[in-house]
Amino acid sequence: MDVTSPANAPWLIVGLGNPGPEYAGNRHNVGFMVADLLAERVGGRFKRAGKAQAQVVEGRIGPPGPANRRVVLAKPMSFMNLSGGPVNALKDFFKVPVANIVAIHDELDIDYGVLRLKLGGGDNGHNGLKSMTKAFGAEYHRVRFGIGRPPGRMQVADFVLKDFSSSERKELDYFVDRAADAVEALVIEGLERAQSTYNS
């Protein structure tokens, strides 16, 4: 069988965020947090990926046998609003079909810690998704991690670029762990089964 056929194609799992230590704890960087945990689970460390402006880890998830999947975990090292370029370069380099791309990202319209998995759709004002959709279309998977709406009159841009609050941080590890489980379920079991478990 041709190794580039969908059955054998790898999955490209992209955590969205902004590079640099000053952004590491921001709500906007929850995609990076989930990607870091997935990298830990596959026993890899993020390294610069050739000419692509991204860090990657290659590994496998799932039990031995037909459900085992080759994955490329990625963190774009551009800023959020330029994520499409690095992801597109990785898609082409690893020969990943668009339907095998998963974007993990923060979502304002969902309560904190709630997950929603979906395929395709709009970007809902999220600059990382906007950039990816512009680069290769909208038919990729999304694991949407709820961060809730800003309190009072706080601007959205200020809210997403602030760290999680002290009360939110108490549950953050649990929610990040659950999001990583959801990504694995999506890749191993398919969207519908993963949705029935994690779209709480």
Side-chain angles (χ1 to χ4, degrees):
M1 187 183 272
D2 174 10
V3 293
T4 61
S5 70
N8 282 328
W11 284 76
L12 177 57
I13 299 167
V14 182
L16 291 177
N18 285 309
E22 67 271 36
Y23 298 105
N26 289 179
R27 293 181 177 92
H28 223 19
N29 270 45
V30 73
F32 274 17
M33 297 173 198
V34 177
D36 285 337
L37 179 56
L38 287 165
E40 235 177 82
R41 290 184 181 184
V42 303
R45 299 186 69 166
F46 277 101
K47 294 179 183 146
R48 202 68 183 223
K51 291 179 181 176
Q53 204 181 353
Q55 291 183 348
V56 301
V57 170
E58 293 181 67
R60 302 192 80 88
I61 62 173
N68 194 259
R69 300 281 186 265
R70 183 178 158 222
V71 296
V72 179
L73 306 172
K75 297 193 294 186
M77 290 289 111
S78 61
F79 281 93
M80 178 72 87
N81 60 344
L82 300 172
S83 300
V87 177
N88 202 34
L90 293 172
K91 171 183 80 69
D92 292 346
F93 181 79
F94 288 103
K95 299 182 168 58
V96 178
V98 173
N100 277 26
I101 296 173
V102 182
I104 311 161
H105 65 92
D106 57 307
E107 178 61 65
L108 288 158
D109 285 338
I110 304 174
D111 289 341
Y112 174 59
V114 173
L115 298 175
R116 291 282 185 274
L117 283 64
K118 64 183 282 198
L119 173 64
D123 56 56
N124 205 20
H126 193 287
N127 288 330
L129 298 181
K130 199 174 288 183
S131 180
M132 286 175 60
T133 297
K134 190 175 175 187
F136 47 79
E139 290 306 301
Y140 53 91
H141 289 86
R142 298 102 191 273
V143 173
R144 305 156 74 206
F145 186 111
I147 61 168
R149 302 294 303 185
R153 297 186 176 186
M154 186 187 287
Q155 294 295 310
V156 165
D158 295 333
F159 180 69
V160 300
L161 293 176
K162 276 194 166 38
D163 287 2
F164 286 99
S165 69
S166 54
S167 62
E168 287 171 335
R169 281 199 295 274
K170 288 174 187 166
E171 295 182 291
L172 183 59
D173 286 349
Y174 168 76
F175 288 140
V176 167
D177 194 67
R178 193 165 182 271
D181 290 347
V183 173
E184 291 181 347
L186 168 61
V187 170
I188 297 163
E189 300 170 15
L191 179 62
E192 282 186 25
R193 287 190 65 179
Q195 283 175 325
S196 68
T197 305
Y198 293 98
N199 278 21
S200 49

